[in-house]
Amino acid sequence: MVKQLSDLIQFEQFDNLELLAHQIVEGFLIGLHRSPYHGFSVEFAEHRLYNKGESTKHIDWKLYARSDKMFVKQFEEETNLRAYIVMDTSSSMLFPYKTKHQTKLGYSVLCAAALIHLLRKQRDAVGLCTFSDKIDLLTPSKLSLTHAQLLYSHLHKIYNTEEIGKERETKIADTLHRLAESLHKRSLVIVFSDFTGAESPKEIMESLQHLRFNKHEVILFAVRDHELELNFNFENRPSQFVDLETGESLKLNPTDIKEMYQKEQQKFFTELELLCSQFSIDLIEADIRKEFSNVLQSYLLKRKKFM
């Protein structure tokens, strides 16, 4: 079972996102003491049995000819929930750089793929939004198998980092404002980002308030490499640091700035977390060196509140 990024080294089919998603979710479910699917069929069905007395307009007659049973085609309005996975694909997400798939972006893609799998098990519609300094992709939120395969295809392109170049900046606040204007039905918005950009916590919060004002629920996953980005555990020697989003570089000894760097990081996220708590927005730490279960468990808790 794939439980974290390091498992991919031994996992031969690491390019098959649909299979990886299945492995991640099944491993997660096995690890749960109490399954959230108790009393719920986890098999996906695009049809439901016809109930006597209802309109015959949507009966699938081709399926009736094969099975001699009447089924009604399911439509998006019959889903339990609408969700949008919003993914930061700016250049900072390529960190640690040149470690194929073992990056913040790779982690986010796998979490997104697993959530698509989990959402569909619960008959929830899902859409995908990707952004850097602008929205690159925004799909509708749908339940169908064909739509899910399209989402996996988009994610697969992102997963192969050749598709994502350097010097793509992050503008999360602008993205969330535009998303709030685009979503016309109440949805659960799930954001994966490292929040590395020029925007302040206050600017980000204004965009999150826009989503909340429009009745959307929001969960934020702060995707970071805790060992290197929080603890700043680099070797004690002069090193060249390159900003993946701007291309600027500095040569310095990590030890000389470690304390100041950690203080600024803590200040930013403490302020953002405080603002989020005021508007019932969950801000979850997602360490790329840890198991995916923290993300999936946090999603299930948020979904329970949403329904």
Side-chain angles (χ1 to χ4, degrees):
M1 292 293 181
V2 176
K3 292 186 177 181
Q4 58 191 81
L5 276 174
S6 58
D7 294 339
L8 295 179
I9 298 172
Q10 288 81 34
F11 201 84
E12 294 180 2
Q13 303 295 327
F14 63 83
D15 263 344
N16 188 330
L17 277 183
E18 199 166 354
L19 177 58
L20 282 173
H22 176 82
Q23 293 285 328
I24 291 167
V25 171
E26 295 311 311
F28 167 68
L29 294 179
I30 290 171
L32 286 180
H33 295 295
R34 181 181 177 186
S35 173
Y37 303 111
H38 181 69
F40 177 83
S41 172
V42 299
E43 294 300 323
F44 173 74
E46 289 187 290
H47 300 80
R48 61 173 172 78
L49 281 169
Y50 169 76
N51 294 315
K52 188 177 180 180
E54 69 177 303
S55 171
T56 59
K57 181 179 178 181
H58 299 303
I59 289 178
D60 189 331
W61 295 109
K62 290 183 180 179
L63 185 59
Y64 173 73
R66 295 197 304 270
S67 65
D68 201 30
K69 292 181 180 179
M70 286 193 287
F71 290 89
V72 177
K73 294 178 181 178
Q74 294 280 61
F75 292 90
E76 301 309 319
E77 288 72 16
E78 299 180 74
T79 63
N80 296 320
L81 169 147
R82 292 177 186 277
Y84 280 87
I85 298 172
V86 182
M87 186 179 305
D88 180 351
T89 59
S90 62
S91 299
S92 63
M93 295 290 285
L94 297 176
F95 184 84
Y97 194 54
K98 291 187 177 179
T99 55
K100 188 173 177 64
H101 302 314
Q102 307 286 310
T103 64
K104 292 184 286 186
L105 186 61
Y107 181 91
S108 299
V109 167
L110 284 173
C111 286
L115 284 173
I116 291 169
H117 189 78
L118 198 50
L119 282 155
R120 292 186 66 250
K121 278 179 175 289
Q122 297 177 299
R123 292 204 55 76
D124 295 334
V126 59
L128 178 65
C129 173
T130 65
F131 73 95
S132 53
D133 58 342
K134 66 182 191 311
I135 291 179
D136 297 312
L137 171 74
L138 178 57
T139 76
S141 178
K142 295 183 179 181
L143 175 62
S144 70
L145 175 60
T146 301
H147 182 68
Q149 290 172 338
L150 178 64
L151 298 187
Y152 284 127
S153 176
H154 285 307
L155 289 173
H156 188 269
K157 290 178 182 177
I158 298 168
Y159 199 48
N160 290 281
T161 54
E162 293 82 1
E163 297 287 327
I164 306 295
K166 289 191 293 184
E167 300 184 25
R168 286 165 52 92
E169 297 185 17
T170 308
K171 289 188 178 178
I172 188 170
D174 186 56
T175 294
L176 295 180
H177 276 303
R178 291 179 182 276
L179 188 64
E181 293 168 359
S182 301
L183 304 185
H184 303 299
K185 293 186 178 180
R186 184 170 180 256
S187 303
L188 173 60
V189 178
I190 306 166
V191 181
F192 290 92
S193 177
D194 58 4
F195 300 95
T196 298
E199 295 155 314
S200 68
K202 185 178 179 181
E203 289 173 316
I204 295 171
M205 179 48 57
E206 287 173 355
S207 66
L208 293 169
Q209 283 179 268
H210 192 171
L211 284 166
R212 294 291 288 125
F213 180 79
N214 289 357
K215 309 301 182 185
H216 303 298
E217 290 291 329
V218 184
I219 179 169
L220 306 176
F221 289 105
V223 183
R224 293 184 287 175
D225 182 334
H226 283 202
E227 178 68 14
L228 298 179
E229 293 185 290
L230 262 67
N231 301 329
F232 211 64
N233 286 336
F234 292 93
E235 291 184 33
N236 184 18
R237 60 181 176 80
S239 304
Q240 191 86 8
F241 287 82
V242 180
D243 186 328
L244 292 170
E245 295 197 1
T246 66
E248 296 179 9
S249 65
L250 286 173
K251 189 171 184 179
L252 48 82
N253 191 318
T255 307
D256 295 340
I257 66 162
K258 182 174 183 176
E259 185 177 345
M260 179 184 68
Y261 168 84
Q262 289 179 313
K263 188 178 294 185
E264 289 299 315
Q265 284 280 303
Q266 185 176 5
K267 179 183 176 183
F268 179 93
F269 280 96
T270 298
E271 183 179 351
L272 183 60
E273 187 172 23
L274 179 61
L275 290 170
C276 285
S277 66
Q278 294 173 1
F279 293 92
S280 301
I281 295 170
D282 295 337
L283 176 61
I284 311 297
E285 287 283 357
D287 182 0
I288 69 171
R289 296 174 186 258
K290 301 291 185 180
E291 294 187 2
F292 300 110
S293 57
N294 181 45
V295 169
L296 299 179
Q297 184 74 63
S298 299
Y299 152 72
L300 287 177
L301 290 172
K302 189 69 172 180
R303 183 187 186 277
K304 187 176 181 181
K305 296 176 186 175
F306 182 87
M307 298 298 290

